[in-house]
Amino acid sequence: MVVIGGGPAGAFFAIQLLRLAAKLGRQLKVLIFERRLQSANSKEVSLPECWKGCNHCAGGISPRLNDGLRELGLSLPEGVIQSRIRSVTIQGYWKNITLEVPVGREMFSVYRGSRPSRRPDPEQNFDGYLLQAARQTGAEVIGAEVSNVTRASDGKPIIIYRQAGLEARVEADLLVFAAGVNGKPGLSALENPMVRIIRQALPGFELPRLRRALIFEMELDARQSPWLDEEIHFVEYGSKALPVEMCSLVPKRGFLTAVLVGRSVDTAKEPEAARRIMRQFLELPHIRKLVPPRTQLRLACTCSPNMVIGSARQAIGSRVAVVGDLVVTRLYKDGLLSAQQTAAALAATVLEQGVDEASLRRGYAPMIDRFRRDNRYAALVFLIHRVVFSSSVLSRFLYQAVISERKNAVASRRTLESILWKVASGDGRYEQVFRVMVQPSVLWSIISGGVLVTLRNYAAELMFGLRWRGLGRFTTGVALERLEAKRAAFAHWLAACRMPGPSSYEFERMYTIRIRSPRARVFAALGRFGEPDREYLHPRWVRIRRVAGEPNAGGCTIEYRVVLPRFSFRLLLEHVVVNQLAVYRVQNGFARGGVLIFELETPKPDVCDLSIYVAFNFSRGRKWLTGPAWWLMRHAFPAFVHDVIWNHSLCQLKDFVEARYQNEGVHFQEQEASASATSVPV
Ligand SMILES: Cc1cc2nc3c(=O)[nH]c(=O)nc-3n(C[C@H](O)[C@H](O)[C@H](O)COP(=O)(O)OP(=O)(O)OC[C@H]3O[C@@H](n4cnc5c(N)ncnc54)[C@H](O)[C@@H]3O)c2cc1C
């Protein structure tokens, strides 16, 4: 059996075929031809070290592909894993929804090949690793380019290739095309030389529909802490001048990969147009906000490969079949998983049914049809996704609905979060996702937790004069499980201050926001809590100011003077752990004895999570009139106003601290690092 192309589809095919054959007690000879291997023909050399070049991919290893690798007993070496992804953030129209990678799921980033060439560890690559695994399973790997295919008189395919300058031929019982669609990145279907070769064996073959993408690697200054380490960002909109729709930023060790898809990329034919798009993208305000300060970004390489968005025609014939990108992939996600699945289906068919055309059609074609069918749902899912995330109003509804759901349901029951996770990570079939999306309960949760809550909150924002222009919204509401965990942590600090524990309060709220800045800066900004010229927390009708003591020092007293004097109160800073914690106690007023805690944690260098915890008991009126009045207050207290004000204030605080930190300068060096050696020109 011969496989043309030693990318994931070819390697997975060989591994799965040989494993299954061994189970069935059958002996097979499998040859894989891969043109990107240099001096690979000795069994002594390690294939990852011979892999030279790039397979034009962001290198996201999805949770389902990780499942597939585990089932095959393949465990990616630590060196191949560039980053273990902990969260994905979907950036809609000024709304940001961050989703933690669920417990039990794994997502990685890898480099597929040896590029960009300035990498210190080019031998740590996914494609080389997989091919090595295929060789260890029994496949023979040949570093050569296949130049043509014909048929012998008995109909068997003959593969013609060049090795060491000489032409050679090999006859096969089965020929598998796994050569991908980027023989030369950016070539149209008509120009692709592989199409001509495939048609020698499959006369009616048509490539799947393709869409151009723009991919570029940025190198970070080695002295800087990793940029967006462990986080993937999906950016769903650009600007009027830069219509992009499904972009991703994928972290690597010392590098960051950006993939752009959209109308502006579709029409960018010239290298200069692609460069303009890259520049415009990095200048988008929501992208700039992600860039750490003093950043030196160097363009390491760039190209415009093809992405598969359809399926091939006539991909099966007598003793010939096509796998991976050449036949079909899941729309916009998980091409590597598609390669594994098409390869698995073909391997099973070959062994269980045969290699004649009828057997291949019977066993393998249904898998291609399943992809086609699922991709129809995918088109609907992405259409809805795009419409929602590119609309200011709709994305606000969804953002709000996600916050409401997080606050009210445990992780296993959060359907909206699960839908967004599956769309972003590819962790589910699109048909399934679509069917859940249109369930009445989901629509209702968007209406009740999104539309109605947004209208109510909007009224509160108007009333308290909270403006969002130029400010990104981030989800600050805390999920139920986190609230439980943090309660236990805060109980410790409250006990240290001789205050009652969290369970003894009638009103309790907690908010968290991630800020890309060293925590000393955030702590200093929090100290400005009572200063008249602070950059956050300016709700109309409430005057907040420091009336005694020094910022961030024990004894600091902050007064909240509210239009209705009965609601005014003072906070006394009782306990401070510098750059980590500030515990204020409510001294008087209706929430007397209550607590306000600011806490800072550093999940990674130069990033901190700011949590705010507020808890108090309502006054008890002692007279015949005040008693019922406070009872009513306790039950009708508009807690959402508190949420709205703190959500706005935290986003303001984040914006201010990050902007100040970032103003220390970002520098993007457009000149590609040793361009001739490393880059495929756009
Ligand atoms: C911009 C972009 C970003 C992407 N990001 C992701 C992602 O993050 N995660 C994900 O899962 N998928 C992603 N994909 C999709 C993924 O890259 C593909 O689905 C996957 O590479 C398909 O694997 P394949 O083996 O079919 O083809 P390929 O990976 O293209 O491999 C084909 C192999 O065949 C070899 N070959 C070609 N012609 C010959 C010849 N004549 N002789 C010998 N060898 C030959 C090539 O050298 C190559 O190694 C992305 C795609 C694009 C365009």
Side-chain angles (χ1 to χ4, degrees), residues 76-142:
L76 290 184
E78 274 307 310
V80 171
I81 299 172
Q82 291 281 330
S83 178
R84 287 175 187 274
I85 306 302
R86 310 268 174 225
S87 66
V88 299
T89 297
I90 307 173
Q91 289 205 6
Y93 199 94
W94 290 98
K95 321 290 180 307
N96 298 270
I97 300 177
T98 297
L99 307 162
E100 301 291 321
V101 173
V103 178
R105 308 305 285 140
E106 278 186 316
M107 231 175 151
F108 303 139
S109 72
V110 297
Y111 270 118
R112 297 277 307 280
S114 62
R115 285 185 179 161
S117 69
R118 289 174 58 85
R119 275 174 63 199
D121 51 0
E123 73 290 352
Q124 301 286 5
N125 56 74
F126 180 78
D127 286 17
Y129 163 77
L130 266 192
L131 211 45
Q132 182 81 12
R135 183 195 260 178
Q136 282 159 357
T137 318
E140 186 178 332
V141 180
I142 300 176

Side-chain angles (χ1 to χ4, degrees), residues 531-549:
E531 307 308 303
D533 59 347
R534 66 188 171 276
E535 298 76 11
Y536 59 97
L537 196 65
H538 284 286
R540 195 185 284 151
W541 319 114
V542 187
R543 201 167 141 226
I544 301 169
R545 63 190 176 112
R546 177 165 53 88
V547 290

